[in-house]
């Protein structure tokens, strides 16, 4: 679900990470990430085969994912950074995110208008329901990178609340679970491993640094992360 956690960070941001963070981040920033990609690929194979990860493997992964969270925050993807940091913290505690990225998105705006129209029609008939739901909303990285990295597939719920003057205000809410697809789920769904991959930075050669979502999920298996629920709410007058 969390293709949401961190999808595509820009090279300029990673360059700053390289200066402030780790050697791993520096190599990614320079575009000379062949060695890092090779190590990631090897760890992905290890995860698929359920082999034991060494302490050095775990340290490398912690450094890598922490750098990605740092990079997301630097370029303004604060929601994705918050989510990734909570994932790595391993507390399992739920997280409330700001609604700005949702409210600014064109697809969300359109869904909100449809929901408000349905509520207005039901209010005119005196049959307002307790809760309404949008159709499934899918956001691509090219449409809205900020939202895509922490919430690329979701529904918007609308909860009407009658005010003292007899009007309605609408509480909009998105509920999701911060988790990645596992290799086992990926195999069952698609018939192969490594189909669900997250692209990050591209170098001058056109090469793209990527991570399997299965590896990101495997962090929970080796004690480096924990799944948690997250949500966002905002209220508007009808």
């Amino acid at each position: 679900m969390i293709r949401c956690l961190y999808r595509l960070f820009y090279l300029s941001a990673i360059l700053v990470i390289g200066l402030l963070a780790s050697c791993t981040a520096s190599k990614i920033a320079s575009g000379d990430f062949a060695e890092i990609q090779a190590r990631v690929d090897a760890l992905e194979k290890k995860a698929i085969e359920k082999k034991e990860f060494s302490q050095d493997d775990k340290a490398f992964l912690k450094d890598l994912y922490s750098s990605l969270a740092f990079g997301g925050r630097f370029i303004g993807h604060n929601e994705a950074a918050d989510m990734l940091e909570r994932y790595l913290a391993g507390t399992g505690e739920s997280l409330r995110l700001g609604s700005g990225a949702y409210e600014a998105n064109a697809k969300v705006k359109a869904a909100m208008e449809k929901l408000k129209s349905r509520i207005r029609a039901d209010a005119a008939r005196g049959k307002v329901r307790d809760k309404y739901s949008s159709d499934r909303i899918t956001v691509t990285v090219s449409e809205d990178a900020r939202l895509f990295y922490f919430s690329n597939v979701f529904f918007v719920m609308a909860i009407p609340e009658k005010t003292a003057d007899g009007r309605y205000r609408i509480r909009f809410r998105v509920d999701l679970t911060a988790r990645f697809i596992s290799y086992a789920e990926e195999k069952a769904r698609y018939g192969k491993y490594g189909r669900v991959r997250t692209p990050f930075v591209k170098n001058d050669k056109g090469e793209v640094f990527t991570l399997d979502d299965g590896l990101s999920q495997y962090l929970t298996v080796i004690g480096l992360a924990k799944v948690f629920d997250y949500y966002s709410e905002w209220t508007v007058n009808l």
Side-chain angles (χ1 to χ4, degrees), residues 6-50:
Y6 55 74
R7 315 298 200 254
L8 194 59
F9 295 118
Y10 302 111
L11 179 59
S12 58
I14 302 294
L15 284 169
V16 174
I17 301 172
L19 294 174
L20 301 179
S22 68
C23 179
T24 297
S26 295
K27 289 182 178 179
I28 294 173
S30 69
D32 183 24
F33 49 70
E35 181 182 348
I36 304 300
Q37 185 69 72
R39 183 161 188 186
V40 166
D41 293 345
L43 292 176
E44 289 168 348
K45 187 173 185 294
K46 257 190 175 182
I48 291 170
E49 297 174 353
K50 298 181 180 179

Side-chain angles (χ1 to χ4, degrees), residues 41-238:
D41 293 345
L43 292 176
E44 289 168 348
K45 187 173 185 294
K46 257 190 175 182
I48 291 170
E49 297 174 353
K50 298 181 180 179
K51 292 184 177 179
E52 184 177 355
F53 277 47
S54 68
Q55 290 304 311
D56 187 55
D57 291 336
K58 293 178 182 180
F60 167 77
L61 289 172
K62 186 175 181 179
D63 175 40
L64 174 62
Y65 282 84
S66 296
S67 294
L68 294 175
F70 184 97
R73 191 172 302 286
F74 177 78
I75 61 173
H77 293 182
N78 292 321
E79 300 88 354
D82 286 343
M83 289 182 64
L84 186 52
E85 288 173 354
R86 177 63 57 87
Y87 187 63
L88 296 173
T91 65
E93 296 178 2
S94 63
L95 177 66
R96 178 171 183 169
L97 296 175
S99 62
Y102 288 112
E103 293 187 78
N105 180 265
K107 287 185 176 180
V108 173
K109 288 180 180 179
M112 289 171 60
E113 289 305 315
K114 287 183 179 180
L115 289 167
K116 288 193 287 186
S117 293
R118 288 166 59 188
I119 295 170
R120 286 193 189 97
D122 285 354
R125 296 186 296 115
K127 296 183 177 180
V128 175
R129 291 160 27 198
D130 292 337
K131 185 181 294 186
Y132 296 76
S133 176
S134 71
D135 294 329
R136 187 173 74 167
I137 298 172
T138 302
V139 177
T140 67
V141 67
S142 60
E143 291 172 333
D144 189 337
R146 177 185 171 190
L147 185 57
F148 175 77
Y149 289 123
F150 76 96
S151 187
N152 68 315
V153 180
F154 57 93
F155 297 86
V156 175
M157 305 302 298
I159 300 94
E161 300 172 343
K162 201 166 188 177
T163 61
D165 60 4
R167 299 182 180 183
Y168 283 93
R169 59 172 172 256
I170 312 300
R171 180 160 51 94
F172 292 101
R173 182 176 174 113
V174 176
D175 284 279
L176 291 167
T177 298
R179 66 178 298 274
F180 293 89
I181 187 172
S182 70
Y183 279 121
E185 291 171 315
E186 189 178 35
K187 178 71 171 179
R189 186 178 303 178
Y190 302 113
K192 64 179 182 178
Y193 301 116
R195 173 163 177 162
V196 184
R197 296 179 65 81
T198 296
F200 287 85
V201 69
K202 180 186 288 187
N203 63 19
D204 292 339
K205 300 176 183 178
E207 299 166 333
V208 181
F209 177 72
T210 63
L211 289 170
D212 281 355
D213 278 24
L215 179 62
S216 298
Q217 184 278 333
Y218 206 71
L219 296 183
T220 67
V221 177
I222 60 176
L224 294 183
K226 191 170 184 178
V227 171
F228 64 93
D229 295 327
Y230 65 99
Y231 68 98
S232 184
E233 281 190 346
W234 63 100
T235 302
V236 301
N237 293 322
L238 184 61

